[in-house]
Structures are given as structure tokens and as C-alpha cells.
Amino acid sequence: MNGLLSFARIQRRHRHLVGGKAMTLATLMRGGITVPDGLCVTTTVYEDFIRTTGLGTRIGMEMGRLPLAEMRWEEIWDMALRIRNLFLNTAIPDHLRETLASELETRFAGRAMVVRSSSPQEDRAGSSFAGLHESYVNIRGLDAILEHIRLVWASLWSDGALLYRKELGMDMQKSAMAVIVQELVAGERSGVAFSRSPDGADHAVVESVYGLNQGLVDGTITPDRWTLDRRTGNLISHTPAAREQAMRPVDGGVTLMPLAEAEQNAPPLDEETLDRVFGMAMTLEKTFERPQDVEWTVQGESLYLLQSRPVTTTRDSASDGTPWSKGDKRPWYLSLKRSFDNLKVLHRRIEDELLPQMAAEARELSKTDPAGLSDARLIEAIQTRMRIHRRWVDVYWRDFIPFAHGARLFGQVYNDVVKPEDPYAFTALLAETRMTGMERNRELRRLARMIQSDNRLRERLASRKLDDVNPEFSTYFNAFLERYEDLTFKAVRFFKDREGLIGLLLEMAEQAEPEAAAGRPDIASLADDFADRFPEDRREFARKLLEIGRSSYRLRDNDNIVLARIEAQLLKVVDEAKRRIGELDRVDADALTPAQTVKILSDPAAIHEIVKEQATIDEPVQHQGRPGLVPPTVDTADGDFIMRARQLIGQPAGQGLAVGKARVISAVEDLFQFKSGEILVCDSIDPNMTFVVPLAAAIVERRGGMLVHGAIVAREYGLPCITGVADASALIHTGDRLTVDGYLGIVTIGD
């Protein structure tokens, strides 16, 4: 066998070589079901490719940086992007190319093809990888087919696929990928059919759209939906869609096109075709002895089966409210990934509606002085602001978090088109200066320059005498406070008193004016080069994708800052309530939650219950302010000496090399003690705390990812940055001497 098997030659014994999809298609073809012609590139070809090119070893190195169980979603995405780039930049060896080229050119020369995954781990009982591995539609020519075979291989290591295999306890190192290369049937109508409804009800469901199935599967197009009696096939209900667009094949791929008026006014399926689709789904259920999730398309009078897999999950939420069914979190993983068209809608809603509304609501709340409220009105204000804050936090998770995929989608498309050696080269095009946090830091730098040039002002501020200071400075200082006093960190407002801000400005004034970063790329030229790599009719897509990517990148800063202003308005009324409660001197007011402050103000007798609650809380062991972390030193068995961490490994997120003393940030006070030239070490950098970054020599962060806020800001300032350093703020102490290697992702503790 040369590593290729036509559907007609696939036998049951080949399942481990061809995977679930190919095995199903072969079985159905032998059973007389109409299936588009195709063949399978078996797992032996994949294994030969990663062995002979050394990719297997390099993938192992990437997987070995940090245990998958300890990685956050963004860290896994980063790793998956690096692995994908390895596939993009590793040519198929000549002996494999010759084997593939001979068969593919003979069978499919000049024809439009579909290239899709068929992993042996897919579509088995109890698991379904639907949507996690890649499929590509309307691929023409040998070079394009070979390139997309590599991309399907790479999707074995996508973030979603890795997370799902981890969820199911599968062995990552034993994963392999077969690929189906199949003739494209450009159906006029397409859809899915469930022989048993995915919500668990005892009926069948058929969904259909005009054009190709891709628009339905990725959620871009809402389908017409028919519910049928499983026993008789009788129609129970039909839910029509707002029919506006269809996914159609075009040169180099597929695109959305408007529907003709006749199609808009009529459902995609007539009664006869609906009966045929239902009959096929029920036949497949009998064949495989399980309810089936079937993809199909209709071209002319012919009904084609595209794939069939077991219905393994239900679409409803679990009993605890999580948006996935028991044992299958894949729907949540997939919900974070959005199509280009979905991102366009999110982009406009976030930029034009949500962010302005959030900012306006924060401004309106700021007009009320909590000190002037009666206890009853203060209780009402706390409860109202708790609801408002909760509502905006829900918006943050519903809309802002998924929109973060805009930067990721741009990065993937950029790498696919440009194929840079550096998988993060795309971030240069995303870097902008319109972030709220960066504008705030520029204003701080302007205030610091005023202090540098005025010794008397410096002396007055050093003695904390704010009267009789430079009028220009006073004006700018008060304007800064008005704009930014609502920033929060760990439920504390940064600038509610001026002491910390003055100390920060004095420290910045001691720092030499930072030099402009050398060798910054010409962003406009990079953007033009990216767009020029697309055909003329696809360049508008490229420009829009870049716009969405930049907005998504910028949002990582701006949404947190605006949300913090909402939080600050809640904290203002809670702080006033704590002040009044604190006067009773029977409770630790600082430790009260908003709900507890309401309880005590409503019923002073409740203070006894809350005092008891506070007294029974066991304080966990703290390491640099963080509970529950392993201690930074370890005694040997005989106690002869103490062993400490020497080198910590993370992900390189900002290039450069820096040496300096560590400043571990776990509370607001740590930020205002920050000294110029120190290395910022923290659990995660919040956009509200980045006003100290201009003082830093480097950044070390436990939270990982190339697109987390710490990495974004570090690159803006040209600072070495390492993210994903496990237990960074426990293993490193303030004052430790650190060497931060942003090229290799290594933090060395000590000289």
C-alpha cells in the first residue's frame, strides 16, 4: 500500500489508517448510498511526514514546555499557532510528494475538491470532534491540495482539538491524522439531519440552507428547520429562516452571496426532498445502530451524503447552567471561535454600541456623591450598582471575550498567506497607539517631564505640599485625576488618594526619557503587503480582517478599563457604606463584600452574624499575597541546605534581554513602590495597572499567551516579556535579581 486508499478499497481492518469519516463513507458507498468520489491519505503518510522532517520531535518540544493541564486557553492557542506554523513552513518530502502527486493528478486533475480531516479518534462512541479539525472547500490544483493536506494535519494540534482530547483523557502523542480528498459537489441546497433530535427528544430534525453546507455548519447562515415524527416521518413543525444569503464556491474558496428573490420566498426543501433526507437519516441509523448526525447536499435530482457520525451530545445546557452537556465541553471551546462574518457583527456592536453605552453609564453614575445619601438611599445605590456591574460583566463574557478571536483569526490567516518564520510576526500589524492605557501613560509621562524641569515643583511634591505649585502642572494633574481616578485593581481604587500617584510621578521624573524603539517596522507597508497577497476581489476581505484584528487587539486594553469604571462606581458607594459601618468598630469593614455591607446597613443586628463569619475564616498560607501556592524554597530530607528555583521556563512574548531586581505585584501598595529599572513579576497584568510598565525593565507573568495584556503592552514599550511562568509570583521574591531572556523564554534567579 502506498499510503492512499480509494473509498472502494477501504475495509474494516483499515479503520486505524483512515479514521472514522473515511470508514463511514466507504461503508455507505458499498451499501449503495450516493457519496462524492474520493480517496483517503492514510495516517501512515502523516507519520512518515512528521518523522522524516523532524516535526514530531519539534511538536514534542512544544508540548513539553508546560503540562497541558496547567495551560490556559490562550497558552494552548499560542502553542497550537506555533505548531501550525511548523507545518506551514515544512515542505512535504520529495518521496511523499511523488506518491501523492501521481494519484491525485490522475484522479482529480482540474476538478474542485474538498480536503477534510478523518482522524482515527474522531466520531467514536462517546466523542465527536465535529468542528475541531479543519475542512477546506473548493480547492483546485495539486499544489493547493498538498498545502491544505498539511493544514488538515496541523489541525490535529489546534487548541480546540487539544483541549477536547485532554477532556477525554486521550494520549496526545499517539494522535495521528488521515485526510479525505473528495470531489466537491456544488449543491443547490444543503443541510444536516438528525435521526434523533440533538436535544434528546424522540423526534427527528432536518435543517437546510441554499448553497453549500459550510454556512450552516459554521453558524453564518440560519437554516430552515423541520421537526418530524421519527416513526412515521410526519411533519410536526417547520421553523422558517430569514433567508438572505447562501455560501457558494468562487475561485480560491467560497463566499457568501445574496439569494435571489424566489429563493428568499421559498424554503430550500420541498416535501418530496424532505422525505428523502429523512429516509436517508433513518436508514443510516439502522446501518450504524445509533442515531446519526448527517450532512448532505442536493445537486439537481441527486441527493449526496457528505458525512455521517453518531449523535453523541445534546445541545442543551447542563443542570448547573454551563453551556455544554455532561462530559463534553467542546461546545464551549467552539463558542469562543467566531467566523469572519460573526466577528464583523460583533465588531460594530462593540465599537458603536456597547463600549459607548458602558462609558456613558459610568459617567452617569459618577454624578452621584455617595456621602450625601441617606442609609436607605445608599443601600439602594449599592444594590442598583451591583446589578449594573453584573450586567456588564455578563456582556464582557458574552461579547468581548469571543471578539478576542478577531486577533487570533487575523494571525492564522496572516501566517497561512505570508508563512513567516516567526509565527507572531502578525502582531506588528496589530500594534497601535489608540489604547486607553497607552494614552494614560503618555499623560503620566507629560506630568513627569514637568517635574523634571521644575526643581521647586519636585521639592513641593516630595514634601506632599500641593498648594502653591506650578499652575500648569496643577491643571494637568487635576485633569488626569478626573479622567483616571476610577481605575481599580483587586477591588481597590488606585487614585482615591493622591499619595500614591505623586510618588509614582516622582519616580518617573527620576527616570531618563525613554528612547524611541529602534527598528520598528513600517506598519503601512506591512499592511499593504498583506492585502496584496490576495486576489483583487479578496483584498477588501483582507483589509476588513486587519481592521477587526486591530479592534480585537485594542479591546484587550479598552474594555477592561471601561468595565473598571463601572466597578469603581460600585466601589465608591461600598466604600462609603464601609466608612459608616467601620465607625461601629465591631467588624473589619475593609473585608466586607458589597452584599454584607447592604445586610449590615439594612439591619445593624446582622453585624454579630458577620463578625462570627469573619472570625471563622482560616487565613490560607500566603506567598507574595497569593494563597495556596507551593512555597518558594524546599528543604532537603536531611535539612543540610535549602534548594531554590534557579531557572523558570515560560513562553517568549516580547524579545530582548534584561537584568534587574524583581518587584512582585500582589496588591495596590506594590505598584506604588515600583522603582525604575525593576522587573515586574505578577500573576497577570490588568490593563488598569499598566501605568507602572514605563518604569519596568521587563515583565514576567504567570498567565500565558502572546495576546494577553502584559505581552501586548511589553511589545508596545519594546520590553523583554515572558508569560506562562508557572507560580512566578511564588517562586520569585521582591528584590531577587533576575535575568529575563525574552528570546528563549527563560527567567534566571540570582547572579
Side-chain angles (χ1 to χ4, degrees), residues 49-64 86 173:
F49 174 71
I50 66 169
R51 183 180 62 254
T52 57
T53 60
L55 263 185
T57 300
R58 297 170 75 183
I59 291 171
M61 291 173 62
E62 289 291 346
M63 294 289 295
L86 293 177
Q173 299 304 323

Side-chain angles (χ1 to χ4, degrees), residues 247-268:
M247 192 73 75
R248 312 278 193 194
V250 294
D251 289 344
V254 296
T255 192
L256 286 171
M257 294 184 178
L259 287 177
E261 184 176 353
E263 292 173 319
Q264 293 178 15
N265 296 328

Side-chain angles (χ1 to χ4, degrees), residues 67 178 192 216 279 308 497 509 515 523 552 565 613:
V192 297
L216 185 160
S308 183
D497 63 60
E515 297 180 7
I523 303 299
S552 168
R565 288 175 173 152
E613 289 176 6

Side-chain angles (χ1 to χ4, degrees), residues 452-582:
Q452 284 175 328
S453 61
D454 188 336
N455 288 332
R456 182 177 181 277
L457 174 60
R458 188 196 307 263
E459 292 170 2
R460 299 289 290 177
L461 293 178
S463 60
R464 300 306 190 263
K465 295 177 180 177
L466 296 181
D467 57 316
D468 191 27
V469 297
N470 181 326
E472 183 184 15
F473 176 85
S474 182
T475 299
Y476 276 120
F477 184 82
N478 291 328
F480 179 88
L481 280 176
E482 185 176 343
R483 288 191 63 185
Y484 299 112
E485 68 175 345
D486 289 339
L487 297 182
T488 62
F489 177 65
K490 294 185 180 291
V492 177
R493 287 182 292 137
F494 280 123
F495 302 132
K496 63 181 180 180
D497 63 60
R498 301 181 178 188
E499 185 76 19
L501 177 57
I502 292 171
L504 173 70
L505 289 171
L506 288 169
E507 184 65 30
M508 293 182 74
E510 294 297 320
Q511 183 187 47
E513 192 72 18
E515 297 180 7
R520 293 181 76 88
D522 183 342
I523 303 299
S525 296
L526 287 176
D528 289 341
D529 176 68
F530 171 66
D532 289 345
R533 291 172 183 263
F534 288 80
E536 185 68 38
D537 61 349
R538 294 279 289 163
R539 288 178 187 169
E540 184 56 34
F541 158 79
R543 295 186 184 97
K544 185 64 180 178
L545 181 60
L546 175 55
E547 180 187 351
I548 288 172
R550 285 174 168 169
S551 177
S552 168
Y553 192 77
R554 186 169 61 248
L555 189 72
R556 304 301 293 268
D557 183 273
N558 294 359
D559 63 351
N560 285 275
I561 289 176
V562 180
L563 183 60
R565 288 175 173 152
I566 294 286
E567 181 185 38
Q569 300 312 314
L570 169 59
L571 293 177
K572 280 182 179 179
V573 290
V574 170
D575 285 346
E576 173 60 23
K578 288 180 177 181
R579 185 189 65 77
R580 298 180 190 183
I581 291 168

Side-chain angles (χ1 to χ4, degrees), residues 69 73 90 283 383 496 602 692:
W73 172 272
T90 303
T283 297
Q383 292 172 329
K496 63 181 180 180
S602 302
V692 299

Side-chain angles (χ1 to χ4, degrees), residues 438-454:
M438 300 299 291
E439 176 59 30
R440 176 199 60 211
N441 290 1
R442 281 192 289 273
E443 293 186 29
L444 283 170
R445 173 55 60 186
R446 178 164 53 182
L447 287 166
R449 279 198 294 267
M450 291 182 183
I451 297 171
Q452 284 175 328
S453 61
D454 188 336

